[in-house]
Amino acid sequence: MQQDGQKLALVLATFGSAREQEVDFVHGIKEEFERRHPGTEVFIAYTSKIVTTKRRKKGEAANALAQVLAQLSVEGFSYVAVQSLHVAPGMEYEMLCDITRRFAQMPKGIVRTVTGPPLICNDIRAEKVARLLAADLPPERQVDEAVVFVGHGAKLPAGTLTYPALQAYLWQHDPGLFVGTLEGSLNAGCTIELLRKRGYDRVWLVPLLAYYGVHVAEDMFGAGEESWQHTFEAAGIVCKPVETTLLGRPAVVELWIESAVDAMESLALAKA
Ligand code: CO
């Protein structure tokens, strides 16, 4: 996108994964955006240090956010929107904002930056995501089976409210839908207690994370005693694991794209 000779760019900033399938999801978002908004230059940045290091070692392209912004600066992009592909306004998003801010008003570089919020950034979004999740439950689920969406959890105040908010909206659709978090107060023990109180002894465990990374493979479904599946089964609850992550849900991805469009629009307005 070119405006008065000053270039605009969109950066999709994602935690990243060493798994090829999810990398394809992010490239899919980039291609979809470029298809709908021809002329927009879209770049991908990874916010996880571990993921970028792992991918580099395998000889794959993996640029950190600061690296992408420095490169865009050098290439003459004056206005840059950074869209977060994170789930909640937690630590990763906070760092994304901090890094992005530092590249604004750079002499001989980027003039203005804008950041697009993570997936569940306010009550409207929590309600929308709840609606999409409730409309896309495992088809084989029986009425006496609960569905537990397991998210990362956040330590920053704004992020801590994300998951209880989603829970409130999910219950508007179906009393058998629950939200748990790997970190924070909605842990496996408290989720099990709630399931027992409500009389559920069979559950579907569904990732509420963007990627099928270590958190899903090990913390949710791993063979270790600490995993959610193991903890639930030890408590006498039958578990059915679901592999689909948030990036694998097209209707959810659409919300991230929506935010990217908004970010680009506010960038164009800031420039005008
Ligand atoms: Co983590």
Side-chain angles (χ1 to χ4, degrees):
M1 196 183 289
Q2 195 120 7
Q3 291 212 345
D4 310 332
Q6 289 185 301
K7 294 202 283 181
L8 275 74
L10 169 64
V11 179
L12 300 171
T14 182
F15 186 77
S17 163
R19 285 205 348 164
E20 218 36 62
Q21 189 191 4
E22 275 98 355
V23 175
D24 289 346
F25 285 140
V26 177
H27 283 272
I29 298 175
K30 170 175 149 64
E31 278 160 28
E32 185 56 26
F33 197 96
E34 288 167 337
R35 196 184 61 76
R36 291 189 207 172
H37 305 274
T40 308
E41 306 225 38
V42 187
F43 302 85
I44 294 170
Y46 295 94
T47 64
S48 162
K49 267 197 139 173
I50 297 172
V51 170
T52 44
T53 309
K54 263 193 197 165
R55 288 182 62 79
R56 288 245 183 81
K57 276 190 184 150
K58 288 201 284 178
E60 295 160 349
N63 294 326
L65 180 57
Q67 207 177 352
V68 172
L69 292 173
Q71 190 60 33
L72 291 177
S73 213
V74 170
E75 287 174 15
F77 288 90
S78 312
Y79 294 83
V80 179
V82 177
Q83 174 58 47
S84 152
L85 297 185
H86 300 91
V87 178
M91 201 80 87
E92 284 289 318
Y93 178 64
E94 187 83 350
M95 286 195 270
L96 174 157
C97 292
D98 197 5
I99 293 167
T100 304
R101 235 185 336 255
R102 285 162 198 256
F103 278 86
Q105 296 177 326
M106 185 81 74
K108 301 187 183 182
I110 297 169
V111 175
R112 178 90 184 216
T113 58
V114 161
T115 48
L119 181 67
I120 308 174
C121 56
N122 57 30
D123 57 343
I124 296 165
R125 271 303 181 78
E127 194 275 327
K128 273 189 188 168
V129 171
R131 189 153 21 103
L132 296 177
L133 294 175
D136 192 17
L137 298 172
E140 308 84 7
R141 178 215 178 193
Q142 305 293 311
V143 277
D144 62 343
E145 294 172 341
V147 179
V148 180
F149 296 95
V150 182
H152 189 282
K155 292 193 184 89
L156 294 179
T160 58
L161 294 174
T162 303
Y163 301 94
L166 182 67
Q167 176 68 85
Y169 290 112
L170 281 171
W171 277 335
Q172 291 184 350
H173 295 276
D174 184 330
L177 308 182
F178 298 85
V179 177
T181 53
L182 298 170
E183 290 175 10
S185 59
L186 301 177
N187 56 34
C190 121
T191 308
I192 288 169
E193 206 173 299
L194 189 54
L195 289 167
R196 280 203 179 124
K197 249 188 236 167
R198 305 271 175 100
Y200 292 102
D201 57 8
R202 297 150 70 85
V203 304
W204 295 79
L205 277 183
V206 185
L208 187 70
L209 291 103
Y211 288 100
Y212 198 104
V214 174
H215 283 318
V216 178
E218 287 174 22
D219 300 340
M220 279 184 73
F221 303 133
E225 285 197 359
E226 302 273 281
S227 86
W228 277 55
Q229 186 167 355
H230 188 277
T231 309
F232 274 50
E233 282 168 355
I237 297 171
V238 178
C239 288
K240 301 180 188 187
V242 173
E243 285 207 356
T244 312
T245 64
L246 292 173
L247 276 170
R249 296 176 182 269
V252 170
V253 166
E254 204 53 46
L255 298 178
W256 270 307
I257 294 179
E258 203 174 86
S259 289
V261 172
D262 289 349
M264 285 305 280
E265 277 173 4
S266 67
L267 194 63
L269 279 178
K271 198 197 151 292

